[in-house]
């Protein structure tokens, strides 16, 4: 952070300000010019609020030269982080495909879908047990029973499972059965949930809120990491824009941007971005082409009768075709699926 003082700022004022800044455990390096003094702050400046600094009458400008996220920052960790979800690596040369229904509906449904998506090359099973729905009258998920059914599917197929947690009170239950916590778009800034998840040592798939900037997204990852859990996977799932044709707008530029800003793996959810099944395949292809480390795709045995998100769910046939297409894209950029 660089603080440019106003012309003629009295020495005593500069010293007072420097002393105050040092309370934040940063080193203040003054550069004293003929008319203007500049203070170069070295160290962790994340606790220093730019707007508060501007309240000082003698401060002319404040420039942040470092992002407020530290642990998630590529500068702090130049190599890509690889997160291991129950034996499956996310973040390496192999693109991880997570697939399954929006909601777990029954044992037969989740077990059949698990086998089918695994046959097509998915390596991680997704499925919601607690469903945060826009309407309180919509299906809310099978909750604890849903977790048990996911666990059955895991025992049958050996696939690790990722499922959404909405309440810190459920952590114990999840720790026993689940391989990766999913934090949904609606909870991306549920800071108490993030902090509690940060105290565990299980991987976390953190989804971007539909109205959040990339910096806010990375600050949410930082909340988890600051508590000690560094196994965070970022998931772009579409943001809300003025366009209503699609459910959300897939921010494909988030992929290269996040890869540049952070060392964490980046996964794309084309299903919630599109909102409609036929657009999932091209969005999945574009995500792989843009450098995503993985995909999370909704697949259903009978989309027309799904209890949630049927319209955007792929049938088995369509999923198989999509896998073929993304395999070709991956090969073209020197990756595999
Ligand atoms: C989901 O994955 O089913 C889901 C609810 O996703 P999001 O939080 O991105 O809306
Ligand atoms: Mn869904």
């Amino acid at each position: 952070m660089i603080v440019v003082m106003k012309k003629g700022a009295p020495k005593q004022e500069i010293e007072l300000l420097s002393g105050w800044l040092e309370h934040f455990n940063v080193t203040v390096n003054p550069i004293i010019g003929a008319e203007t003094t500049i203070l170069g702050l070295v160290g962790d400046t994340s606790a220093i609020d730019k707007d508060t600094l501007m309240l000082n009458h003698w401060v002319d400008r404040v420039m942040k030269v470092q992002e407020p996220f530290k642990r998630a920052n590529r500068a702090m960790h130049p190599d890509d982080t690889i997160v291991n979800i129950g034996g499956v690596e996310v973040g390496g040369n192999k693109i991880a495909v997570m697939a399954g229904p929006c909601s777990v509906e029954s044992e037969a449904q989740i077990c059949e879908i698990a086998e089918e998506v695994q046959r097509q090359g998915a390596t991680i099973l997704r499925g919601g047990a607690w469903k945060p729905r826009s309407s309180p009258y919509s299906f809310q998920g099978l909750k604890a029973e849903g977790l048990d059914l996911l666990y059955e599917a895991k025992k049958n197929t050996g696939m690790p499972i990722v499922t959404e947690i909405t309440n810190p009170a459920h952590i114990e239950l999840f720790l026993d059965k689940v391989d990766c916590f999913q934090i949904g778009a609606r909870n991306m800034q549920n800071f108490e949930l993030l902090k509690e998840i940060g105290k565990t040592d299980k991987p976390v798939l953190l989804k971007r809120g539909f109205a959040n900037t990339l910096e806010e997204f990375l600050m949410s990852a930082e909340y988890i990491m600051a508590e000690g859990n560094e196994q965070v996977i970022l998931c772009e799932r579409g943001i809300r824009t003025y366009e209503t044709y699609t459910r959300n707008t897939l921010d494909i530029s988030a992929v290269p941007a996040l890869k540049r800003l952070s060392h964490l793996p980046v996964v794309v959810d084309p299903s919630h971005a599109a909102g409609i099944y036929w657009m999932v395949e091209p969005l999945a292809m574009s995500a792989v082409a843009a450098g995503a480390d993985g995909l999370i795709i909704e697949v259903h045995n009978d989309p027309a009768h799904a209890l949630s998100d049927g319209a955007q769910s792929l049938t088995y046939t369509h999923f198989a075709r999509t896998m073929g297409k993304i395999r070709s894209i991956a090969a073209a950029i020197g990756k595999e699926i």
Side-chain angles (χ1 to χ4, degrees):
M1 183 180 268
I2 293 173
V3 182
V4 182
M5 304 302 292
K6 282 186 186 153
K7 278 184 187 152
K11 192 167 173 260
Q12 195 194 353
E13 291 293 338
I14 296 170
E15 279 169 8
L16 264 177
L17 180 63
S18 301
W20 179 72
L21 288 167
E22 275 161 1
H23 283 128
F24 293 95
N25 283 327
V26 295
T27 310
V28 182
N29 294 307
I31 302 157
I32 302 162
E35 286 183 304
T36 311
T37 296
I38 292 170
L39 305 177
L41 272 48
V42 180
D44 184 357
T45 57
S46 53
I48 303 174
D49 180 48
K50 191 175 162 186
D51 296 331
T52 308
L53 254 180
M54 287 301 294
L55 295 177
N56 184 309
H57 173 75
W58 292 105
V59 171
D60 186 37
R61 262 175 303 145
V62 178
M63 288 173 285
K64 264 194 177 287
V65 288
Q66 252 182 320
E67 294 86 2
F69 48 91
K70 305 286 171 205
R71 290 173 173 81
N73 202 312
R74 169 98 45 201
M76 298 286 167
H77 190 293
D79 295 333
D80 285 343
T81 284
I82 295 179
V83 174
N84 189 311
I85 301 183
V88 178
E89 290 189 341
V90 184
N93 201 49
K94 197 162 182 221
I95 291 164
V97 178
M98 314 174 185
C102 179
S103 299
V104 178
E105 298 172 8
S106 69
E107 182 169 347
Q109 177 244 19
I110 191 67
C111 290
E112 184 193 301
I113 296 174
E115 275 181 31
E116 192 61 35
V117 296
Q118 186 177 44
R119 203 185 341 270
Q120 299 304 337
T123 48
I124 298 168
L125 177 65
R126 68 144 288 150
W130 273 268
K131 294 304 304 175
R133 307 299 302 281
S134 300
S135 164
Y137 309 116
S138 301
F139 176 60
Q140 301 287 309
L142 294 181
K143 305 189 172 79
E145 189 197 342
L147 281 195
D148 291 337
L149 301 182
L150 276 169
Y151 196 66
E152 281 304 309
K154 173 183 166 168
K155 279 196 288 189
N156 293 347
T157 57
M159 287 173 100
I161 48 187
V162 55
T163 189
E164 180 166 356
I165 185 153
T166 54
N167 186 338
H170 301 154
I171 288 179
E172 285 302 319
L173 209 55
F174 274 59
L175 283 179
D176 289 341
K177 302 190 173 119
V178 168
D179 299 281
C180 180
F181 291 111
Q182 176 174 323
I183 296 191
R186 288 155 195 81
N187 276 310
M188 188 205 88
Q189 287 190 312
N190 181 340
F191 300 118
E192 295 310 314
L193 178 62
L194 300 179
K195 284 190 259 183
E196 290 307 315
I197 295 290
K199 291 178 188 150
T200 74
D201 59 2
K202 236 181 230 307
V204 187
L205 179 79
L206 177 66
K207 297 187 98 178
R208 179 182 181 184
F210 34 72
N212 287 108
T213 63
L214 295 180
E215 186 168 298
E216 287 163 343
F217 189 17
L218 288 163
M219 288 309 285
S220 289
E222 194 77 10
Y223 259 94
I224 299 168
M225 299 173 87
E227 295 293 333
N229 186 350
E230 307 239 313
Q231 302 180 77
V232 180
I233 299 167
L234 304 167
C235 178
E236 162 61 37
R237 46 78 72 207
I239 51 173
R240 190 162 283 182
T241 66
Y242 53 79
E243 183 54 72
T244 54
Y245 187 77
T246 44
R247 182 174 179 181
N248 291 285
T249 298
L250 180 63
D251 181 7
I252 201 73
S253 60
V255 178
L258 289 169
K259 299 287 298 175
R260 190 182 179 90
L261 291 167
S262 176
H263 54 91
L264 298 173
V266 178
V267 160
V268 168
D269 174 348
S271 307
H272 290 86
I276 188 74
Y277 72 95
W278 56 262
M279 202 183 277
V280 172
E281 183 177 286
L283 294 190
M285 291 164 71
S286 66
V288 172
D293 297 297
L295 293 162
I296 178 162
I297 301 179
E298 289 185 340
V299 179
H300 200 278
N301 56 322
D302 181 10
H305 297 101
L307 296 182
S308 61
D309 286 348
Q312 67 195 32
S313 297
L314 299 188
T315 58
Y316 298 149
T317 319
H318 202 151
F319 180 62
R321 196 182 81 182
T322 301
M323 286 299 286
K325 298 244 176 142
I326 58 176
R327 267 196 195 96
S328 307
I329 304 269
I333 56 165
K335 289 193 181 175
E336 51 175 315
I337 291 187

